[in-house]
Amino acid sequence: MGKLLNSSSARASALSAMPRLNRRQCLAAALLGPLGVTLPAEAAGEPHCPASVGEVLQPFSKLVGLKVDFFEEKRILLLKKPLVNRGTVVFMAPGNLVRRIDSPTASAVWIRPGQFWVRDRSGERKLDVARWGPANVLVNSFLYVLRGDVDALNKHYRIVLSCNWGAWKLDLTPRAPELAKIIRSLSITGHPGAPETLELVDGSGDTSLTRFGKPDNQVRYTEAQLKRFFSSPAAKP
C-alpha cells in the first residue's frame, strides 16, 4: 500500500511540475510516458525547427567561408540515363561563389560581385548575364542562400518553409513570368548553416538534384587562391 501511495505521489508531483496539458495529451501521457508524463518535444531532445525563412538563413549570414563537395544528377527528358557530375563548391562571403566540376568533364563557374566567369574545354570567358535579369537571378539564387540574403530570395521567389526533426526545406517558386520560363521550381534542404540538397526543375521539365557532403565552414581563401581553384581542376586552395 505504501509503494502505491508513493507511486501516486510521484505521479502527482511530476504532473504538477509540467505545463498544463489538454485532455488528449494527458491521456497519452498516462498511457505512454514514464510516471504517466510525456515531456514536451524540445524538453525530450527533439531538434528545433526554424519558424521562418529568416531563421533558416540566419546561420548562413554569419559564414565567412564554406567549402563542400557535391554529387549531381541531371535528368534530361530526351536521355534515358541521368548525367552525373562530381565537384566542389567554394563560397567566400559576401559575394564569391565557385562551383567546379571535376568529373567526368572539368568545368567551372565563378560568380563574383557584378561578374560571371565560365571555364570549360574552350577556355575561360566572362559572360554578361546581368543584362538578362532572369539568368542573373538564376545563377545567383544559391548565393542568396549562402550569404543569408532573405530580401533577395523574397524578392524573386514565393517561399514555402517546411521542417521535419530539425531538417528544413525551402520550396521556391519564381515570382516573375520571365524567370518562370527558365526555372519552374527550386528546392533546398539542410540543417543549421549547412545545405544538404538542391533540386531544380527547369522550364522544359528537366531536373537536377545536387547532394552536398559535409561542409567545411571555416575556410579562408584569398582572391589568388580562388582564381587558382577556379582555373585548374587539380588545384586545391
Side-chain angles (χ1 to χ4, degrees):
M1 183 67 175
K3 291 183 179 180
L4 180 60
L5 290 174
N6 289 339
S7 176
S8 298
S9 177
R11 289 172 184 242
S13 298
L15 283 170
S16 65
M18 298 301 297
R20 184 172 295 177
L21 304 176
N22 61 35
R23 184 175 298 176
R24 181 177 297 177
Q25 289 172 321
C26 288
L27 178 60
L31 294 175
L32 302 175
L35 295 179
V37 177
T38 299
L39 292 174
E42 290 188 14
E46 180 177 336
H48 171 72
C49 273
S52 67
V53 177
E55 190 176 346
V56 169
L57 298 186
Q58 195 270 341
F60 289 103
S61 68
K62 297 180 178 180
L63 285 177
V64 175
L66 177 142
K67 180 181 179 183
V68 61
D69 294 333
F70 68 84
F71 174 88
E72 177 190 54
E73 275 190 338
K74 285 189 172 184
R75 297 188 177 274
I76 299 175
L77 298 178
L78 297 178
L79 299 180
K80 293 182 178 180
K81 295 183 178 180
L83 302 177
V84 176
N85 295 313
R86 298 177 186 271
T88 304
V89 168
V90 170
F91 165 71
M92 293 301 297
N96 279 279
L97 176 67
V98 178
R99 184 182 186 274
R100 194 181 72 182
I101 295 175
D102 294 326
S103 67
T105 303
S107 65
V109 297
W110 185 2
I111 303 172
R112 306 168 68 184
Q115 298 181 349
F116 184 73
W117 289 83
V118 176
R119 178 188 57 78
D120 54 25
R121 286 178 291 185
S122 63
E124 295 182 14
R125 60 199 181 278
K126 179 183 176 181
L127 300 182
D128 188 6
V129 294
R131 291 186 178 181
W132 188 36
N136 191 37
V137 173
L138 177 58
V139 299
N140 280 283
S141 293
F142 190 46
L143 181 60
Y144 297 152
V145 173
L146 292 182
R147 71 185 187 202
D149 196 337
V150 181
D151 291 340
L153 280 184
N154 277 320
K155 177 181 179 181
H156 298 292
Y157 295 99
R158 297 179 182 88
I159 307 173
V160 175
L161 166 64
S162 56
C163 183
N164 182 29
W165 201 255
W168 50 262
K169 180 181 181 183
L170 300 178
D171 288 310
L172 285 69
T173 305
R175 293 183 183 274
E178 295 80 6
L179 182 58
K181 291 178 182 178
I182 59 176
I183 172 177
R184 293 184 185 176
S185 64
L186 183 66
S187 298
I188 305 171
T189 69
H191 285 86
E196 284 195 343
T197 67
L198 185 153
E199 185 172 16
L200 183 148
V201 181
D202 70 19
S204 64
D206 296 336
T207 65
S208 67
L209 175 61
T210 302
R211 295 181 175 89
F212 299 100
K214 184 178 180 181
D216 176 2
N217 57 9
Q218 301 296 323
V219 295
R220 301 287 192 278
Y221 295 153
T222 65
E223 187 84 359
Q225 287 175 315
L226 281 177
K227 175 63 177 174
R228 180 169 173 261
F229 179 75
F230 167 74
S231 299
S232 172
K236 300 292 181 183

